[in-house]
Amino acid sequence: MKQRICTKCTNKISMNDNDTFVACSKCFSYQEVTENGMKFLSSFKSSNRPKEVCFELGQSIRVNGTTYTITGITQRNDGTNLRINWREYVLNDGIQERFLNEYNGNWQLVWALNEKSPLTGNYNLFQKYYQDVNWAVGGFNFDVVDTNRIYSKEYISPPQILIEEVYRTSNGKESNSEWYEGEYVDNNEIYQEYLSLGNSTTFPSKIGVGATEPYKSQFYYKDALKMSLIAFAVILTIQLYFMATSPTTTVFRETFSVADLKIDSTSTNLTSAKPIVSKSFSIDKTGKIEIELTSGVDNSWLESNITMVNESTLQELPIVIGNEFYHGYEGGEKWTEGSTSASKDYSEVPAGKYHLLIETTTPATNGGTYEVKLQTGGIYWINIFIMLCLIVIVPLIKYFQEYNFEKERWADSDYSPYVTEEDE
């Protein structure tokens, strides 16, 4: 480090040996370092000092495990959108130079590359822009207010970034491009450095998602999806096992005639004069049963009150089940409502010997037959559906969390893959 005297205010300016331009931190004059001394070029307005500048020249901060000295600070803005601006701190560890960039409280460390075009791998174009410097203090090895405009292209693969800078003159000519590489720096790491220095400046608040900010979680979408697939395989295996060990068996099936029903004295419906007592049947083991009623109703209905009686314990299971089916034409289109078949399931029905008591009611205009069927065994597919819904909830939540995080990352980009034609 060496010192020069400002030609405007005689302030002592510290600078690196290879710095060729300096901006005084007292009077904000911008000067070129020549063999004959300091040459005044222009001045920055002191009122332009950004409130987001939270460090001072000469302070030492530790970034990603290396301690650097701040030798220069600039504020840059998008030449086509002056509302977009960011701060750049020039860092030096005595061996190499780095640039610590801050935009909306999001930080990244950037350094120059010797390669001409290092763009390989999964990098996506994030932004293109002209950049201008509207405020600076400290020493620089390049002209920060060069009349050549800097045209930048940013490519991101979080937490990494590649930046190509091309210098364009007013007549549109371009010099050779320069490449920079960078990586995300955690906001809290920089904040701890800020606190340790006890600066009276304001630390910039973090807004949104940084361009290179990685999504951090103890449990990611891919992890959730993997666990859900394993859970699904386990559930499916268990269900297949129960299907193999508990096949569906028909233990009762009988068809009855509507003609056997009698007119109800209190209505015009047909009904059972007395309950029909079915033949006895056996349920071999405790488990699921399904009872099904099928009839030939046509623009009508039929309902059966069935009592399932355990002949050993005399316990009763009341079942009300019915059919109703209607159809017709309206507005030239056919419509239907209801069904000629219905079923009900019951779980954990004890093993034993049973018979049914069947009472049926239907309009007097009906005829034909109706059938009662009872099956044991089988599985509840609704259980699989419910469990599937439950095991996909976590992956869905994680997916949308990561999706929204990425969408917010690209919110300021002109090349967002999350923008649809409707958004435009």
Side-chain angles (χ1 to χ4, degrees), residues 337-365:
E337 181 180 346
S339 174
T340 59
S341 180
S343 64
K344 286 189 175 181
D345 296 338
Y346 297 88
S347 61
E348 297 302 312
V349 175
K353 193 173 183 180
Y354 290 85
H355 65 263
L356 302 179
L357 301 178
I358 306 169
E359 295 181 86
T360 301
T361 303
T362 189
T365 55

Side-chain angles (χ1 to χ4, degrees), residues 146-388:
D146 195 339
T147 54
N148 292 350
R149 301 186 70 190
I150 302 175
Y151 188 65
S152 300
K153 301 175 185 177
E154 295 181 354
Y155 303 87
I156 63 170
S157 179
Q160 270 73 44
I161 186 171
L162 288 173
I163 305 170
E164 181 187 18
E165 291 187 351
V166 177
Y167 292 86
R168 289 182 175 180
T169 61
S170 57
N171 60 8
K173 291 184 178 180
E174 296 184 358
S175 65
N176 293 331
S177 64
E178 296 180 2
W179 284 89
Y180 297 82
E181 185 178 10
E183 61 184 1
Y184 178 78
V185 181
D186 189 85
N187 171 273
N188 187 59
E189 178 182 346
I190 304 299
Y191 183 61
Q192 294 306 316
E193 294 298 306
Y194 167 80
L195 292 178
S196 68
L197 293 170
N199 290 349
S200 59
T201 53
T202 301
F203 190 80
S205 300
K206 188 178 186 308
I207 301 173
V209 176
T212 56
E213 182 178 353
Y215 179 77
K216 293 182 179 180
S217 175
Q218 294 181 339
F219 194 58
Y220 294 89
Y221 164 68
K222 289 183 178 179
D223 301 321
L225 182 61
K226 183 178 179 180
M227 290 188 63
S228 293
L229 290 174
I230 292 173
F232 171 73
V234 172
I235 292 170
L236 185 60
T237 300
I238 293 173
Q239 290 294 96
L240 291 174
Y241 168 78
F242 281 118
M243 285 180 64
T245 57
S246 183
T248 300
T249 303
T250 300
V251 295
F252 175 84
R253 185 171 192 170
E254 191 169 346
T255 301
F256 305 93
S257 175
V258 173
D260 294 334
L261 302 178
K262 307 297 182 183
I263 290 290
D264 187 350
S265 59
T266 61
S267 70
T268 59
N269 294 330
L270 295 172
T271 188
S272 303
K274 61 179 182 178
I276 298 172
V277 181
S278 76
K279 296 178 292 184
S280 298
F281 56 89
S282 296
I283 296 178
D284 295 333
K285 61 180 181 180
T286 300
K288 168 180 173 287
I289 68 164
E290 177 185 73
I291 192 161
E292 181 180 351
L293 174 67
T294 305
S295 65
V297 292
D298 187 8
N299 277 326
S300 189
W301 57 270
L302 181 144
E303 182 179 88
S304 291
N305 288 285
I306 303 173
T307 303
M308 185 172 168
V309 182
N310 186 308
E311 296 181 356
S312 298
T313 63
L314 299 182
Q315 282 187 313
E316 297 182 350
L317 174 62
I319 303 167
V320 178
I321 189 170
N323 300 153
E324 56 178 341
F325 179 68
Y326 298 91
H327 60 89
Y329 287 86
E330 184 174 349
E333 294 186 1
K334 185 177 180 180
W335 61 269
T336 61
E337 181 180 346
S339 174
T340 59
S341 180
S343 64
K344 286 189 175 181
D345 296 338
Y346 297 88
S347 61
E348 297 302 312
V349 175
K353 193 173 183 180
Y354 290 85
H355 65 263
L356 302 179
L357 301 178
I358 306 169
E359 295 181 86
T360 301
T361 303
T362 189
T365 55
N366 276 355
T369 60
Y370 60 98
E371 179 188 79
V372 176
K373 182 172 70 173
L374 192 147
Q375 294 180 311
T376 62
I379 60 173
Y380 283 107
W381 287 102
I382 186 63
N383 292 343
I384 292 184
F385 178 75
I386 293 173
M387 286 187 284
L388 286 178

Side-chain angles (χ1 to χ4, degrees), residues 61 63 68-70 89-92 96-98 100 109:
I61 60 174
V63 183
Y68 299 95
T69 299
I70 299 173
Y89 297 85
V90 182
L91 309 180
N92 198 299
Q96 56 191 351
E97 198 170 67
R98 294 282 191 268
L100 182 64
L109 188 65

Side-chain angles (χ1 to χ4, degrees), residues 60-168:
S60 294
I61 60 174
R62 190 172 180 83
V63 183
N64 288 357
T66 302
T67 300
Y68 299 95
T69 299
I70 299 173
T71 60
I73 309 172
T74 64
Q75 171 159 283
R76 297 167 181 253
N77 60 262
D78 185 335
T80 57
N81 187 349
L82 299 181
R83 292 177 300 175
I84 298 178
N85 53 70
W86 64 98
R87 274 57 55 195
E88 183 174 274
Y89 297 85
V90 182
L91 309 180
N92 198 299
D93 64 354
I95 302 174
Q96 56 191 351
E97 198 170 67
R98 294 282 191 268
F99 304 94
L100 182 64
N101 295 337
E102 176 270 317
Y103 171 67
N104 280 348
N106 296 289
W107 302 78
Q108 58 188 20
L109 188 65
V110 178
W111 55 93
L113 294 176
N114 295 324
E115 302 175 61
K116 286 190 174 182
S117 181
L119 195 59
T120 58
N122 187 30
Y123 281 86
N124 297 298
L125 177 62
F126 184 77
Q127 199 61 283
K128 294 180 183 179
Y129 54 90
Y130 283 102
Q131 58 172 288
D132 295 318
V133 175
N134 57 31
W135 183 87
V137 292
F140 308 92
N141 59 12
F142 57 93
D143 187 356
V144 297
V145 293
D146 195 339
T147 54
N148 292 350
R149 301 186 70 190
I150 302 175
Y151 188 65
S152 300
K153 301 175 185 177
E154 295 181 354
Y155 303 87
I156 63 170
S157 179
Q160 270 73 44
I161 186 171
L162 288 173
I163 305 170
E164 181 187 18
E165 291 187 351
V166 177
Y167 292 86
R168 289 182 175 180

